[in-house]
Amino acid sequence: MADAIAQVPAQKFTSFASFYPFYLGEHRNPVCRVLHFIGTSVGLSLLITAFITKLWWLIPVGIVQGYAWAWVGHFGFEKNKPASFKQPLYSFMGDWVMWFQLLTGKIKFSG
């Protein structure tokens, strides 16, 4: 699966369905996937905590945490620029789909 998705060239995508294979190809490195999963999980936990406790300052902290972990994965391990720089909405959606697929085992952390 990773070999097939790695072949999708960068372009201006007109649908999430056409973007997602490219997105997965930008996340082939296992460490990058783990860091994305951690960042999304930490961010989600902080957002939930913010709504439960009404500590609204946790919302921007959660957003920063989500992106910080992911960007370390991209710049430090994947050696590419995050897709969010060019396709922010589809990238945000892709992160949640990939997080869920990692959580449920549909895709593996190890690539």
Side-chain angles (χ1 to χ4, degrees), residues 20-97:
Y20 193 60
F22 167 77
Y23 181 85
L24 287 177
E26 296 291 290
H27 299 85
R28 292 178 305 180
N29 183 286
V31 176
C32 183
R33 285 187 182 191
V34 168
L35 291 173
H36 263 269
F37 188 83
I38 291 169
T40 301
S41 299
V42 169
L44 179 61
S45 297
L46 288 168
L47 291 175
I48 291 169
T49 301
F51 284 101
I52 290 171
T53 64
K54 296 185 172 72
L55 296 173
W56 306 121
W57 60 270
L58 290 174
I59 293 172
V61 174
I63 293 168
V64 168
Q65 283 294 304
Y67 281 103
W69 288 85
W71 289 1
V72 168
H74 282 287
F75 293 119
F77 297 93
E78 196 72 56
K79 306 294 187 202
N80 63 13
K81 290 182 183 174
S84 60
F85 289 0
K86 291 190 178 183
Q87 297 274 179
L89 178 60
Y90 286 161
S91 180
F92 182 76
M93 293 166 58
D95 191 44
W96 286 105
V97 172

